[in-house]
Amino acid sequence: MTPRALPIVNAIGCLALTGLVVAQWHKERTLNGVLAGLRTELAAANDLTARESQRRATLEHDIAVLKEAIETTQQAAESSARTLAEKDQLATRLQTDLAAARTQFTAWETALKARDERIRTLDKELAATRKRLDEAIAKLKGETR
């Protein structure tokens, strides 16, 4: 190579290196843009993850509250069922007692009617006996005079 060709080769080499540097710079700038976009997406994904995590925690709390409410409702229903069964038994027992009391009342009413009839009969017999006694006394008084 000639000494004059060396500066031209050097200039071409510098131009090639400048083109290579510009290409690398452009590639790095593009990658930085992509990296910035990915960082933005990562931040958005992290934010979304945090919100979804908070929503999940809220939903789990709501589920726990609902389970507790269901359990309380089931216990109340079981308690109501027991109370209803007890009241049903009480109603049945009271109906049985009422039927027995009605039967007893009917028996007493019959006995009272029979007693009243017997008293009337005895009253009539007593009146008849008193009348005979009065007649006998009057007859005795009439004979003694």
Side-chain angles (χ1 to χ4, degrees), residues 11-101:
I12 293 174
C14 283
L15 282 175
L17 283 175
T18 303
L20 185 63
V21 167
V22 168
Q24 285 288 348
W25 173 77
H26 182 64
K27 184 178 177 184
E28 190 173 316
R29 188 168 173 191
T30 304
L31 287 177
N32 279 339
V34 170
L35 182 62
L38 289 175
R39 284 182 180 158
T40 303
E41 288 180 24
L42 178 62
N46 285 338
D47 185 47
L48 180 64
T49 302
R51 281 184 286 155
E52 290 299 320
S53 178
Q54 185 178 9
R55 183 170 179 245
R56 180 185 50 85
T58 302
L59 289 174
E60 285 177 354
H61 177 264
D62 290 347
I63 289 171
V65 168
L66 285 174
K67 283 181 180 179
E68 188 175 312
I70 288 170
E71 185 177 317
T72 302
T73 303
Q74 285 176 338
Q75 289 174 353
E78 290 170 359
S79 175
S80 294
R82 281 192 301 271
T83 302
L84 180 62
E86 290 170 0
K87 287 186 179 184
D88 196 31
Q89 289 175 348
L90 177 62
T92 303
R93 192 173 65 244
L94 289 175
Q95 286 176 343
T96 303
D97 291 348
L98 179 61

